[in-house]
Amino acid sequence: MTAGRGRGSNASRPARRGRGANGPAGRGRARVGLALAGGGPLGGIYEVGTLLALADSLEGIDFNALDVYVGVSSGSFVAAALANGISPAQMYRLFIENGRDAALKPEIFLKPAFREFGRRLLGLPGLGLRAGIQYMRDPLHRGAMESLATLSRAVPTGLFDNRAIDDFLAGLFAAPGRSNDFRALPHRLFLVATNLDTGSPVAFGTAGQDHVPISTAIQASSALPALFPPVEIDGAHYVDGALNKTLHASLALDEGIDLLLCVNPLVPFDAGSAQRSRRVSVEKLHRGGLPLVLSQTFRAIIHSRMKVGMEKYAARYPDADILLFEPAREDVDMFFAKIFSYAQRRKLCALAFDSTRDYLREHAPRLAPLLGRHGLRLRAGRIADRQREVTDAVVDPRPLHAGTGRRRSLRRIGRDLDHALSQLEREIATLRGDRSPARPVARSA
């Protein structure tokens, strides 16, 4: 975890006249923002634990009343929940604790993408015929494998159905006092996805992109390629927002944020450091097979990219204070976690809670004045209490209304029926030799 203050040219923002006890002079209270990176279910769990520690350890901050929220991939779940008034303690019960409020089960992420499988399967006969024709036209120069490559278009774009995520969250945000509409929120919320056809990031919640339902934006932002199919929104297709940047923190900093809290759950694992500091024996990662190799590769890429981004933020926003929270690179439990285990989920959340408190305790002399510039104060007594556990911070007594009712199920059935009818019309038009496109079927919001 690191803390820093921007240095360098301030040409990108007007110079400020100094800071008072409650933030920049002449501006009243400090503007505080939160940027959450991705990392799959594991990342969301870590972020909840970190936020619980910060909410428990800092006085003067309400994580449901920040000025700007930015979420990428799994971070979009947490950012949107906070912007909708769901506290870190409530998120603990929703995402992690196996209690009466735990409506978000791991199975929601593991439903096979039968619709995507069926759509690709329907196209297989035509692709096979095309591949055969291509080969027969020029069998001497076109190899069989080259023609068969045409069949790759029949490979599904994702293994699991992420529409259930949209449905669950739409129900969650339909509860009283919440909204699935960016424009109805009391605070700014930006959720980042990647346009598959252009490779460019798109921030839902910005002007021109704020009509998209929040739940659909989360579905798009967390659509990790190969695991989930791209999400279609207004004719464009979107995948995971982490493909471009790790944090997209500039979205918050461009709003004039004075203090930005960032959480990045994924860092590359340092096996050598783990053996030295924790005295544990760690095998070479290549012995763990492809999953561990890919995990380490992905972590190294996004972390190095984030470091470059943080350096740029320091130069572009010299008046902003930025605090970054992330796991230690030698943390064995974090790297080898089984993210779909309830027991592991609680363990990892507790790990994030403890490591964040350790950081605050160790760096309190440096953090206290930095936080004080923005009207925040460390709760020294709680931070010094080494017996305090994550469950001690889950104190929000409000019931959590998941709101995943029958209405959303019926809407999804209707949406699937519309899609099936549209597809049937196209097939009939093809059989009749009609080249005109079938009429579009409107997708319900």
Side-chain angles (χ1 to χ4, degrees):
M1 302 181 190
T2 60
R5 189 175 183 183
R7 290 185 175 85
S9 172
N10 59 357
S12 61
R13 294 173 64 192
R16 295 177 183 166
R17 293 176 296 175
R19 299 176 184 269
N22 295 316
R27 288 190 52 189
R29 72 172 183 85
R31 289 175 56 80
V32 182
L34 178 69
L36 301 174
L42 172 68
I45 292 167
Y46 187 88
E47 287 168 347
V48 171
T50 299
L51 291 170
L52 277 169
L54 293 175
D56 188 61
S57 304
L58 300 181
E59 184 177 327
I61 189 170
D62 180 354
F63 279 97
N64 294 125
L66 302 183
D67 295 280
V68 182
Y69 300 88
V70 179
V72 182
S73 193
S74 62
S76 65
F77 282 82
V78 182
L82 290 170
N84 254 296
I86 300 175
S87 69
Q90 288 179 311
M91 276 190 276
Y92 181 87
R93 299 202 300 267
L94 175 66
F95 297 145
I96 298 161
E97 189 177 61
N98 191 13
R100 61 182 178 86
D101 286 329
L104 186 60
K105 306 293 185 182
E107 299 84 57
I108 196 173
F109 299 102
L110 299 176
K111 293 182 177 180
F114 290 121
R115 177 176 168 180
E116 172 69 5
F117 297 161
R119 187 171 70 87
R120 298 291 170 173
L121 188 61
L122 285 174
L124 187 57
L127 291 174
L129 179 60
R130 184 186 304 176
I133 293 175
Q134 289 174 342
Y135 177 71
M136 294 302 295
R137 283 177 177 172
D138 192 5
L140 297 179
H141 297 89
R142 183 183 293 271
M145 293 303 298
E146 183 179 351
S147 297
L148 288 175
T150 302
L151 297 178
S152 65
R153 298 181 61 180
V155 177
T157 56
L159 298 176
F160 303 111
D161 188 354
N162 53 2
R163 291 176 303 151
I165 298 173
D166 186 351
D167 289 337
F168 169 81
L169 292 171
L172 180 68
F173 298 149
R178 302 178 195 152
S179 176
N180 201 25
D181 188 334
F182 285 98
R183 297 163 294 188
L185 295 176
H187 312 286
R188 300 304 302 274
L189 171 65
F190 303 119
L191 305 178
V192 185
T194 301
N195 186 310
L196 182 62
D197 294 313
T198 66
S200 301
V202 174
F204 296 106
T206 56
Q209 298 290 349
D210 53 2
H211 66 287
V212 177
I214 294 173
S215 57
T216 305
I218 295 172
Q219 180 191 5
S221 181
S222 59
L224 186 64
L227 285 183
F228 300 109
V231 177
E232 183 177 357
I233 300 175
D234 296 337
H237 291 81
Y238 296 91
V239 293
D240 198 298
L243 268 62
N244 279 281
K245 296 179 182 178
T246 302
L247 276 170
H248 291 272
S250 58
L251 287 167
L253 293 166
D254 284 338
E255 294 290 315
I257 290 300
D258 301 302
L259 173 63
L260 182 63
L261 305 176
C262 305
V263 185
N264 172 47
L266 297 185
V267 297
F269 179 61
D270 187 341
S273 179
Q275 292 185 144
R276 290 190 299 271
S277 63
R278 301 189 58 178
R279 298 180 181 178
V280 294
S281 177
V282 181
E283 290 187 343
K284 293 290 186 180
L285 294 184
H286 78 277
R287 296 179 182 175
L290 182 61
L292 286 188
V293 173
L294 290 178
S295 176
Q296 179 75 328
T297 301
F298 179 69
R299 288 164 180 260
I301 290 174
I302 65 171
H303 193 258
S304 63
R305 189 174 59 186
M306 186 205 65
K307 289 177 63 178
V308 173
M310 295 296 286
E311 293 172 357
K312 291 181 179 179
Y313 298 148
R316 283 187 60 190
Y317 309 96
D319 294 322
D321 285 321
I322 303 174
L323 283 173
L324 172 65
F325 298 89
E326 56 186 7
R329 293 186 55 175
E330 64 269 15
D331 201 311
V332 176
D333 295 328
M334 189 69 184
F335 185 74
F336 292 95
K338 298 177 181 179
I339 60 177
F340 290 110
S341 164
Y342 271 118
Q344 289 279 40
R345 283 149 68 99
R346 288 193 291 271
K347 179 180 179 180
L348 289 176
C349 188
L351 172 66
F353 181 83
D354 292 339
S355 62
T356 302
R357 280 168 39 84
D358 289 343
Y359 175 79
L360 295 175
R361 185 186 307 114
E362 180 181 354
H363 297 276
R366 179 167 56 91
L367 292 176
L370 184 152
L371 294 169
R373 288 197 294 267
H374 306 286
L376 307 183
R377 188 172 66 86
L378 291 171
R379 292 188 171 113
R382 289 188 182 180
I383 296 174
D385 182 4
R386 296 180 180 273
Q387 302 302 315
R388 193 166 181 81
E389 299 179 351
V390 64
T391 51
D392 295 322
V394 184
V395 294
D396 192 331
R398 297 175 297 165
L400 179 61
H401 301 289
T404 53
R406 182 170 175 265
R407 181 172 64 89
R408 282 298 299 178
S409 298
L410 291 176
R411 289 178 67 182
R412 186 172 70 174
I413 291 172
R415 188 170 60 198
D416 289 348
L417 181 59
D418 285 344
H419 176 80
L421 289 174
S422 178
Q423 190 173 31
L424 181 60
E425 287 181 359
R426 287 195 294 269
E427 294 293 337
I428 293 174
T430 301
L431 291 174
R432 288 178 176 175
D434 182 6
R435 295 181 179 273
S436 61
R439 62 175 177 83
V441 176
R443 176 181 174 183
S444 59

